[in-house]
């Protein structure tokens, strides 16, 4: 969840998608992206322009507020349902083949589909796209939140979504990398 905040903040600041340039959006304007209008945003702001005028700490906090609906949904993921497998981002990125083989085995796919899927997971692994310039893809490295979250941002996240970290098995310590 914390890497989602960092990635979203850095991406949304660029105003690449049309919805991020809507001036004075209402919640309905962001239904397709499941976003929440941050409380400090002015009627004269688009989301991108709002993030651009904020400090990084304030921008990350705005992104945490924007992600309110996403985090609410994550908190209700049915981890005890035997038909659903939840994989953590950092357990996938960098080891896509293994992660997808685990997923394919969980769904008991036939051998050939597992083999093809494993090859595709390797071909489309995140590390291959680091060199490919694309506005949609930035550094996919997990754990970036440690470099971007200050104590202020981390405290804000933990006050609002610390229970989500616990639910999903993330540590609440290890706050800021020096």
């Amino acid at each position: 969840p914390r890497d989602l905040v960092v990635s979203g903040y850095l991406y949304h600041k660029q105003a690449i998608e049309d919805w991020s340039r809507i001036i004075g959006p209402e919640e309905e304007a962001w239904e397709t992206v499941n976003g929440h209008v941050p409380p400090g945003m002015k009627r004269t702001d688009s989301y991108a322009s709002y993030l651009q005028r904020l400090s990084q700490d304030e921008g990350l906090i705005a992104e945490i507020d924007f992600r309110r609906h996403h985090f609410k949904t994550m908190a209700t993921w049915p981890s005890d349902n035997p038909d659903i497998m939840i994989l953590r981002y950092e357990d996938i990125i960098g080891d896509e083949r293994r992660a997808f083989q685990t997923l394919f085995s969980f769904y008991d796919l036939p051998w050939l589909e597992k083999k093809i899927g494993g090859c595709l997971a390797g071909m489309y692994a995140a590390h291959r796209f680091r060199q490919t310039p694309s506005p949609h893809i930035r550094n996919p490295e997990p754990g970036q939140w440690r470099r971007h979250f200050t104590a202020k941002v981390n405290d804000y996240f933990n006050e609002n979504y610390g229970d989500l970290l616990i639910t999903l098995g993330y540590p609440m310590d290890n706050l800021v990398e020096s």
Side-chain angles (χ1 to χ4, degrees):
R2 294 171 287 201
D3 278 324
L4 179 64
V5 170
V6 171
S7 182
Y9 164 71
L10 294 171
Y11 178 74
H12 296 145
K13 226 173 122 167
Q14 297 176 55
I16 293 169
E17 297 181 3
D18 291 341
W19 68 266
S20 69
R21 294 188 302 270
I22 298 169
I23 305 293
E26 301 289 332
E27 292 279 320
E28 301 79 45
W30 288 356
E31 280 180 348
T32 58
V33 294
N34 201 25
H36 172 71
V37 178
M41 203 169 137
K42 297 177 183 172
R43 300 279 313 142
T44 55
D45 284 328
S46 70
Y47 187 49
S49 68
Y50 179 55
L51 293 178
Q52 291 163 7
R53 73 175 167 80
L54 297 176
S55 69
Q56 181 169 298
D57 276 6
E58 292 168 332
L60 288 166
I61 288 170
E63 185 72 24
I64 291 168
D65 290 336
F66 169 82
R67 296 282 177 183
R68 180 170 97 182
H69 301 309
H70 298 124
F71 296 142
K72 184 178 178 183
T73 300
M74 282 180 174
T76 64
W77 285 352
S79 60
D80 58 348
N81 185 323
D83 296 325
I84 295 174
M85 175 185 243
I86 296 173
L87 296 173
R88 295 179 350 163
Y89 180 76
E90 59 273 20
D91 297 332
I92 300 169
I93 300 300
D95 202 1
E96 288 88 347
R97 259 187 215 268
R98 185 201 53 75
F100 278 89
Q101 287 301 328
T102 300
L103 183 66
F104 300 150
S105 293
F106 179 80
Y107 286 112
D108 200 24
L109 294 181
W111 175 86
L112 183 59
E113 289 180 24
K114 287 180 189 175
K115 184 77 169 164
I116 292 168
C119 289
L120 290 171
M123 282 176 50
Y124 293 101
H127 75 274
R128 294 179 167 267
F129 293 97
R130 287 184 184 155
Q131 297 83 23
T132 307
S134 166
H136 236 85
I137 299 172
R138 52 170 296 281
N139 180 357
E141 175 192 344
Q144 292 183 51
W145 70 272
R146 288 184 184 93
R147 290 192 301 274
H148 293 275
F149 274 34
T150 61
K152 175 183 177 180
V153 175
N154 196 71
D155 288 348
Y156 186 83
F157 188 92
N158 287 344
E159 286 168 20
N160 290 278
Y161 301 106
D163 55 338
L164 177 62
L165 296 177
I166 294 165
T167 299
L168 297 177
Y170 288 96
M172 289 182 67
D173 55 359
N174 231 0
L175 307 183
V176 181
E177 229 177 50
S178 44

